[in-house]
Amino acid sequence: MTDTTPETAPSPEPRHRGRGGRVAAIVVGGIVLLAGGAYGVGYAMAGETMPPNTVIQGVPVGGLTPAEAEAKVASDLGDGGGEPITLKAGEHSLTKTPAELGLGVDAAASVAAGTVGKSFNPAQIWESLTGGRTLDAVPTRDEAKLDAVAAEMAQLTDAEPVNAELAIEDTLPSLTESTNGRALDADATKEALVAAFLESTEVEAVVTEREPDVTTAEAEQVRNEVVAPALSGPIPVTAGDKTFEVTPEMVGAALTFEQADGSLKPTLDPDALVAQAKPALDGLGLQEPKDASFVFADGKPSIVPSENGKGVAKDELAQVIGEAMVKGGEERRATVTVTDAEPEFTTAMAEKMGVKEITGEFTTHFPASAYRVNNIGKSAGLINGVFLKPGEEFSMNKVLGPRTLARGWMAGGAIDGGRVVERMGGGISQTTTTTFNAIFFAGLEDIYHKPHSLYFSRYPMGREATLDYHSVDMKFRNNTDYGVLMQAFTNNPKVGGQGSITVRVWSTKVYDVKATDPVRSNVRSPGPAIKDNSAVCSPQGAMNGFTVNYSRQFFKDGALVKTEPFKWTYNTLTPVQCTNPNARRDRVER
């Protein structure tokens, strides 16, 4: 019997196949349906709240909505927690609140950094539902406040470096050591504050050291290599056919040190060296040059010509000594040239000064008492011949010098505290007033003058000047392009007669100067008389006080080009009555 069934024929199907397939499909479909539901719920929840484990600068905000989280961060950290922060630098410190430092927290940006937004990405959904991180808050900064704190700290920390210095005392070098300085790095310190904010209550300021331009080591090198040999012994100097020595004392007195290129540059001052070496130079028999000068001949200016001399050029002397002073042995010597020495003010210069005409002149009169004849005559002699180059200043006190008996001055009337008293050099206000008026009409610059506190009728009202060696001067400046030569003389009065003093200014006229008439105002009467019952009494009369105004007017080619106002207030003079019938009455002249 033949088998007709093929070997590959399929096995008979199970009896219940259709029902079992339907069950499996239902199970798989259910699982998919459940997963899809959870996914949908996760997607719906994701991004609505902060991940549950989110912490921002120690503030837990998990599960809160972003708005709730932002409010909580702002509440807890908005002012940096309120903890003061101390900025330190060595022994210096500043303690400020975060608000004073200009530091705070950006709550919105801090929350945004921890927020997980909506996404179909399962991993991101899972993070939103179960994750979260610990985050730093995002700080805010007020640059103006940070700058102010840095500037305040710099005032405490900063110190300028001190250069090393060299000096010579009694031919011995003296070295002052250098010290480093300090400077706050403002930018780095501000960044340190911001970086440490919310993490620490102490922050170290960033301070850098600053080296001086000249260190101790550099100064020591100059001392050893230059100063020590310079002061080691005398230097023979040949000048023509003669020789003199420059001693260590001369070098030391002229040697100075200047900061240059990060070190100390030794320099010999030519003027100081020549002054120190003058006795040695005088031994060479050289002739000093003479400046041109002015004298009066027949009442008019005349030039005394300048004279050349023979000398050693100061710059050359300083140069050759500077080269020789660092050498030793046979090389420690120098040679200078003896040359014609020109004066500083030559005849040609004097001729160009324009001293040719009277530009200002004034005369006042005085009762010729003994002290006035002496003091006014002496002061006129000291002023006569004073010459001022353009720009130079005249000081009456400098010209007259101290008023002492040893210098030939006499005591006379002066004003002190509203009373006429006796003072050494009394009467020279007459000379001062006359000089002031001469320079007034010469148009020269009035630097300072002070009228008397009381008015004396022999002087122009308001246009006068007093003098005291210790407290009151009369100064003016030659503010022209020409030389100014002063001429002063008296009429050589005899005691008991009438004296006069005249002061003239010789120069080149620039302006015609006039004074306006004085205007008096605010006239005041003195108080009641002082009754003096002392054994020695100086009676005095009463004088009114008042204010005076006037002006100095400058004319050029007939046109008024400038006006200078002047004003002065005179005091009253209280009368003094001597009531003691046996008193000795000493009336002081005024």
Side-chain angles (χ1 to χ4, degrees):
M1 177 175 204
T2 304
D3 188 356
T4 59
T5 303
E7 291 181 1
T8 59
S11 300
E13 292 183 5
R15 189 174 178 180
H16 302 292
R17 179 180 183 277
R19 184 180 177 186
R22 288 196 298 270
V23 171
I26 290 171
V27 170
V28 171
I31 292 172
V32 170
L33 181 61
L34 288 172
Y39 183 86
V41 171
Y43 173 78
M45 294 176 62
E48 296 296 327
T49 60
M50 304 294 292
N53 298 319
T54 304
V55 177
I56 297 176
Q57 203 70 44
V59 179
V61 294
L64 301 179
T65 66
E68 292 170 339
E70 184 176 328
K72 185 170 180 57
V73 169
S75 173
D76 290 2
L77 301 177
D79 60 353
E83 290 289 331
I85 298 174
T86 299
L87 181 63
K88 301 180 68 177
E91 71 274 19
H92 304 293
S93 65
L94 283 177
T95 300
K96 303 280 187 180
T97 65
E100 291 172 328
L101 292 168
L103 298 176
V105 171
D106 187 335
S110 300
V111 169
T115 301
V116 178
K118 283 187 176 295
S119 172
F120 289 105
N121 185 334
Q124 191 165 337
I125 293 174
W126 182 257
E127 169 68 17
S128 177
L129 297 176
T130 66
R133 296 172 293 163
T134 297
L135 302 170
D136 293 332
V138 178
T140 61
R141 55 195 287 167
D142 184 327
E143 289 297 333
K145 288 186 177 180
L146 282 169
D147 287 340
V149 171
E152 186 177 351
M153 192 65 182
Q155 290 182 338
L156 299 175
T157 61
D158 287 9
E160 289 294 322
V162 178
N163 289 324
E165 294 182 354
L166 275 174
I168 298 175
E169 301 172 0
D170 298 328
T171 70
L172 293 175
S174 172
L175 189 148
T176 302
E177 294 188 350
S178 64
T179 56
N180 285 349
R182 299 182 305 278
L184 181 81
D185 187 329
D187 290 337
T189 297
K190 290 192 298 182
E191 294 306 319
L193 280 168
V194 175
F197 175 52
L198 299 172
E199 297 289 344
S200 175
T201 57
E202 286 193 2
V203 178
E204 197 70 28
V206 182
V207 179
T208 59
E209 282 202 346
R210 295 174 56 195
E211 274 202 355
D213 293 327
V214 181
T215 65
T216 299
E218 291 164 337
E220 287 174 341
Q221 182 179 0
V222 175
R223 180 188 62 186
N224 297 336
E225 296 179 2
V226 178
V227 180
L231 303 177
S232 63
I235 301 171
V237 183
T238 300
D241 58 353
K242 296 184 179 180
T243 300
F244 66 98
E245 283 190 345
V246 172
T247 66
E249 290 79 9
M250 297 175 186
V251 172
L255 191 57
T256 60
F257 305 91
E258 297 177 0
Q259 178 187 321
D261 301 325
S263 185
L264 290 175
K265 178 184 177 183
T267 303
L268 278 174
D269 183 336
D271 291 317
L273 183 60
V274 167
Q276 290 293 318
K278 189 176 185 307
L281 291 169
D282 288 345
L284 301 178
L286 304 179
Q287 179 183 347
E288 290 285 333
K290 293 182 180 179
D291 286 342
S293 60
F294 291 90
V295 295
F296 288 100
D298 298 327
K300 294 182 179 180
S302 177
I303 296 175
V304 178
S306 60
E307 294 181 12
N308 288 343
K310 289 286 186 181
V312 172
K314 60 184 180 183
D315 292 332
E316 183 189 6
L317 179 63
Q319 179 183 342
V320 298
I321 294 300
E323 294 169 354
M325 70 183 188
V326 295
K327 298 177 181 178
E330 289 299 316
E331 293 184 330
R332 191 179 179 80
R333 57 178 58 252
T335 300
V336 291
T337 307
V338 176
T339 60
D340 288 337
E342 288 194 356
E344 293 184 1
F345 189 59
T346 65
T347 303
M349 294 176 182
E351 290 171 345
K352 292 179 180 179
M353 286 289 101
V355 179
K356 63 181 184 180
E357 59 186 325
I358 297 173
T359 58
E361 178 178 10
F362 205 73
T363 299
T364 61
H365 301 274
F366 57 91
S369 59
Y371 79 87
R372 284 198 179 96
V373 170
N374 179 82
N375 293 345
I376 296 174
K378 180 177 177 64
S379 56
L382 292 171
I383 293 170
N384 192 55
V386 170
F387 177 72
L388 302 175
K389 296 175 184 176
E392 289 187 336
E393 182 180 299
F394 175 97
S395 162
M396 183 67 83
N397 274 329
K398 184 176 180 181
V399 170
L400 301 188
R403 272 74 83 183
T404 64
L405 188 64
R407 298 185 71 245
W409 298 96
M410 293 175 62
I415 300 171
D416 185 3
R419 298 189 68 170
V420 179
V421 297
E422 194 169 69
R423 289 282 187 271
M424 188 62 67
I428 56 176
S429 290
Q430 185 93 30
T431 307
T432 308
T433 292
T434 311
T435 304
F436 172 74
N437 276 272
I439 69 101
F440 179 96
F441 288 107
L444 299 177
E445 180 185 350
D446 170 33
I447 296 177
Y448 179 81
H449 80 283
K450 181 181 179 181
H452 290 84
S453 58
L454 302 172
Y455 173 60
F456 300 117
S457 58
R458 64 176 177 272
Y459 298 143
M461 190 179 298
R463 213 174 63 233
E464 39 100 2
T466 187
L467 197 70
D468 179 82
Y469 186 71
H470 300 288
S471 60
V472 182
D473 202 353
M474 192 278 286
K475 296 182 178 182
F476 68 88
R477 180 180 290 110
N478 176 12
N479 58 331
T480 74
D481 296 329
Y482 306 97
V484 163
L485 180 65
M486 304 297 295
Q487 184 181 21
F489 54 90
T490 69
N491 64 338
N492 295 316
K494 293 182 179 180
V495 174
Q498 181 73 359
S500 69
I501 176 172
T502 298
V503 178
R504 292 172 179 164
V505 177
W506 290 82
S507 186
T508 294
K509 185 176 284 293
V510 178
Y511 298 104
D512 291 315
V513 179
K514 297 179 181 179
T516 62
D517 292 333
V519 177
R520 293 207 309 175
S521 61
N522 190 29
V523 178
R524 303 176 312 285
S525 300
I530 297 173
K531 300 185 183 299
D532 189 344
N533 196 42
S534 58
V536 178
C537 175
S538 298
Q540 67 183 26
M543 291 178 63
N544 287 339
F546 59 91
T547 297
V548 60
N549 288 270
Y550 66 97
S551 295
R552 176 162 65 161
Q553 297 180 326
F554 296 77
F555 293 85
K556 198 163 190 177
D557 299 327
L560 179 64
V561 295
K562 185 168 59 173
T563 299
E564 287 181 353
F566 289 83
K567 179 181 179 180
W568 183 250
T569 297
Y570 290 107
N571 296 332
T572 60
L573 181 63
T574 303
V576 175
Q577 297 176 358
C578 299
T579 59
N580 186 339
N582 299 318
R584 191 186 79 216
R585 286 167 169 74
D586 289 341
R587 181 177 294 277
V588 180
E589 296 182 58
R590 65 188 188 197

